[in-house]
Amino acid sequence: QVQLGESGGGLVQAGGSLRLSCVSSGSRFQFDDMGWFRQAPGKQRELVASISVGGMTLYTDSVKGRFTISRTYGKNTVYLQMDNLKPEDTAVYYCNAKGQKYARPYDYWGQGTQVTVSS
């Protein structure tokens, strides 16, 4: 059974930095796409950043220039370096891995890690 586990969340002042990590277990293959989503209270879950198996990255506009996503391919690990954090970045951050294997789609989620940015 594939599991994703996030770490690195916490409380930080505006302008500070955090580095989120997501480690996977139970997978026998490399994930196609890995990414980070977030959900703030009363809001829908949104994509923050994603990175493909080929290294192509995608960021939501509000984090461009402040967040950097990276991954370690052999270990199916993904990171999110968050700099110049703003109070509006406060949310639960979820790790995601998705793609297709043998023509069957997969979509795995972590349990989430809280990020709180104080003003």
Side-chain angles (χ1 to χ4, degrees):
Q1 183 178 358
V2 175
Q3 292 185 325
L4 302 180
E6 303 97 334
S7 62
L11 173 63
V12 65
Q13 289 187 334
S17 298
L18 286 173
R19 180 176 171 84
L20 303 183
S21 299
C22 173
V23 178
S24 67
S25 62
S27 174
R28 299 181 180 181
F29 57 91
Q30 183 167 273
F31 297 139
D32 292 334
D33 297 317
M34 298 192 75
W36 292 92
F37 288 71
R38 66 186 179 187
Q39 187 167 20
K43 295 187 177 181
Q44 289 187 333
R45 189 175 296 188
E46 65 170 351
L47 173 68
V48 176
S50 66
I51 183 167
S52 72
V53 67
M56 292 185 63
T57 58
L58 177 68
Y59 297 92
T60 191
D61 286 345
S62 62
V63 308
K64 287 180 180 178
R66 300 189 297 120
F67 291 10
T68 303
I69 190 170
S70 59
R71 65 187 285 182
T72 302
Y73 291 88
K75 298 182 179 181
N76 274 335
T77 302
V78 66
Y79 307 94
L80 187 67
Q81 177 65 41
M82 305 186 294
D83 298 318
N84 190 22
L85 282 160
K86 302 178 180 181
E88 50 264 42
D89 295 318
T90 295
V92 178
Y93 283 69
Y94 297 90
C95 176
N96 174 255
K98 64 181 180 182
Q100 284 194 343
K101 189 67 175 177
Y102 304 123
R104 296 178 61 181
Y106 58 86
D107 191 6
Y108 304 123
W109 292 90
Q111 79 286 353
T113 185
Q114 177 70 47
V115 172
T116 303
V117 184
S118 63
S119 58

